[in-house]
Amino acid sequence: MKVAIIGVGQTAYGEKKNQSIDEMVFEATKNALEDSGLEREEVESVVTAGSDGLDGCAISNMLTAGSSGAYLKDEVKVSGGGIYGLVLGYLRVASGAFDNSLIVSWTKSSGVSVELISNLAYDPFYLRDCGFNLVTSLAFEASIYMHKTKTKDKDAAEIVLKNRENASRNPLAHLIDKPLMRKTSLSKYISYPLRECHLPPSSDGACALVIASERRARSLKKNCAWVTGLGWAIDGYYADDRLVETRHGVSLHSLKKSSEMAFTMARIKNPLEEIDVAEVSDVTPFHEMMLYETLGFCTDGNGKELIREGITKLDGKLPVNPSGGILSSNPIFASSLVRVAEAALQVMGKAAGRQVKNVDIALAQGFTWHSTQGSCTVILRN
């Protein structure tokens, strides 16, 4: 059974000291329902995607069930990352068990120490006391990639400048100022080779999608984003299981598997030629270049060439992260679902100032929130 995204709702991203988690979830849910044309009473299934650690309470969906419209409805929670909520919602609708589903994800980053919470995800006997956390884990991968591919610090800075310039067109973005190249190149190291400007902000915010069966979607007679490809994969627990060195570069296991699954389902043979726009998890600029290579946008070791030649800029052959990406807005757990929301807006022609011309096929990709252990790839079509 075919499934389509029929409604997208987001809050603005940034520090929201005066807005609670349930208020953010309510705002995103309300926006998504209004965009879909459905009333709350018509929603059959709700998938919530949140982290008890980041939310600071156990079974945090008890806090958000009401504001996500799940009262007296079939509600289920995923805890790997926002994009996994789409996977579960898709399977529930595609199976015929439900005619539609609402998916919502959130994080109030300003209320938690992300470094501390991500450190708790690591082995308590060997890695936790070494200070492993989200940033140090990404730094290890970036360091291997940089050494293997001879990527320059300037290439990473160009990715940051590209995405921050794109964010200036997105009224929902957290960071909307474009830094100077000199300031970017000289920002202090946080965990080598990652500089302060290479790391995303910690944003508060929520994102919601409404999906429906083909019968229901077509009855609404409106532009939809059809899910034509979907793939997901999870890798080993230890970081050295996740990244493999190829002849000229590196490849992320889970991303490779999830993208192959999605491309097969969507019958994509040549991603660079067939995909019109991509929203990917630029958790660091080095990872955006790794994604170019693993997704098949270029050959191994040549991710830097795409940014040097302007191919992934807004006016390039394959614009990547026209929303500004995670480097501009990072509601941590929800960031991967935001990638799907922004790709859907592009396919539906509703991305306003950040709209790319003539989009027929869009790709969205997200990792598990605390590392690159798991990855999902989604292909959307008009």
Side-chain angles (χ1 to χ4, degrees):
M1 180 183 292
K2 292 178 69 175
V3 176
I5 297 171
I6 61 171
V8 176
Q10 300 182 71
T11 65
Y13 302 108
E15 190 172 356
K16 297 173 177 290
K17 286 188 175 178
N18 297 321
Q19 195 171 23
S20 63
I21 289 174
D22 53 323
E23 288 171 335
M24 292 190 304
V25 169
F26 177 80
E27 181 182 337
T29 300
K30 180 173 180 290
N31 291 342
L33 286 175
E34 288 178 351
D35 190 45
S36 72
L38 298 188
E39 299 293 333
R40 190 194 80 85
E41 292 73 19
E42 298 176 89
V43 174
E44 296 184 1
S45 159
V46 176
V47 179
T48 55
S51 161
D52 288 358
L54 292 173
D55 292 338
C57 64
I59 320 176
S60 61
N61 52 327
M62 292 179 68
L63 174 68
T64 58
S67 52
S68 62
Y71 179 66
L72 294 181
K73 295 184 183 295
D74 188 298
E75 186 265 350
V76 64
K77 178 186 175 185
V78 298
S79 54
I83 198 168
Y84 286 87
L86 175 71
V87 173
L88 181 55
Y90 172 91
L91 294 174
R92 284 157 72 89
V93 174
S95 70
F98 298 95
D99 202 36
N100 62 57
S101 184
L102 184 141
I103 300 117
V104 60
S105 187
W106 63 89
T107 295
K108 190 171 177 62
S109 308
S110 61
V112 67
S113 167
V114 178
E115 290 76 17
L116 175 62
I117 297 300
S118 59
N119 173 253
L120 294 175
Y122 285 92
D123 180 332
F125 300 106
Y126 300 104
L127 299 179
R128 194 178 295 174
D129 285 347
C130 294
F132 257 79
N133 59 31
L134 176 60
V135 173
T136 54
S137 173
L138 296 176
F140 270 108
E141 293 175 352
S143 183
I144 295 169
Y145 176 79
M146 198 174 182
H147 171 75
K148 183 76 178 181
T149 62
K150 311 300 182 192
T151 296
K152 306 293 185 187
D153 192 69
K154 185 174 183 297
D155 297 317
E158 290 287 358
I159 295 274
V160 174
L161 297 181
K162 170 182 74 73
N163 290 354
R164 293 283 290 276
E165 182 172 7
N166 290 349
S168 67
R169 300 167 181 266
N170 181 358
L172 302 178
H174 184 175
L175 302 180
I176 56 173
D177 59 314
K178 181 185 175 183
L180 298 173
M181 171 60 84
R182 177 178 171 78
K183 184 178 179 182
T184 304
S185 299
L186 295 179
S187 68
K188 66 181 180 182
Y189 284 113
I190 301 298
S191 182
Y192 183 84
L194 300 181
R195 297 178 182 273
E196 188 173 31
C197 70
H198 294 158
L199 295 171
S202 292
S203 315
D204 301 338
C207 175
L209 303 176
V210 180
I211 63 175
S213 66
E214 181 177 13
R215 182 194 63 78
R216 188 58 194 268
R218 293 201 185 282
S219 72
L220 295 171
K221 301 184 185 306
K222 57 182 288 186
N223 267 351
C224 302
W226 294 97
V227 181
T228 59
L230 184 63
W232 63 98
I234 193 82
D235 231 327
Y237 172 78
Y238 289 98
D240 54 359
D241 291 334
R242 301 170 196 163
L243 187 147
V244 61
E245 293 191 39
T246 61
R247 184 176 179 186
H248 299 293
V250 298
S251 178
L252 294 162
H253 268 151
S254 62
L255 173 61
K256 185 74 173 174
K257 292 175 182 174
S258 72
S259 61
E260 288 175 350
M261 185 176 172
F263 289 157
T264 299
M265 181 176 169
R267 301 180 180 177
I268 299 286
K269 304 290 186 187
N270 186 337
L272 180 62
E273 298 297 329
E274 297 176 60
I275 293 169
D276 300 310
V277 64
E279 281 283 341
V280 302
S281 287
D282 51 331
V283 286
T284 78
F286 297 99
H287 284 76
E288 182 167 317
M289 286 182 273
M290 286 185 222
L291 283 155
Y292 294 168
E293 297 171 27
T294 309
L295 288 169
F297 296 168
C298 62
T299 54
D300 288 351
N302 284 316
K304 55 186 177 295
E305 301 301 331
L306 295 193
I307 189 66
R308 289 175 184 175
E309 296 172 11
I311 291 173
T312 54
K313 291 185 177 179
L314 199 58
D315 58 354
K317 181 176 182 177
L318 174 50
V320 174
N321 289 331
S323 70
I326 292 177
L327 287 170
S328 300
S329 305
N330 184 32
I332 303 167
F333 201 90
S335 289
S336 57
L337 191 63
V338 175
R339 307 278 67 74
V340 183
E342 288 291 335
L345 290 174
Q346 291 287 344
V347 166
M348 293 191 279
K350 295 163 59 176
R354 55 196 185 281
Q355 179 69 49
V356 174
K357 292 180 181 177
N358 303 319
V359 173
D360 182 40
I361 301 177
L363 177 147
Q365 179 276 333
F367 293 119
T368 42
W369 79 265
H370 58 78
S371 70
T372 57
Q373 183 182 8
S375 178
C376 290
T377 305
V378 182
I379 306 296
L380 302 176
R381 189 158 194 163
N382 192 333

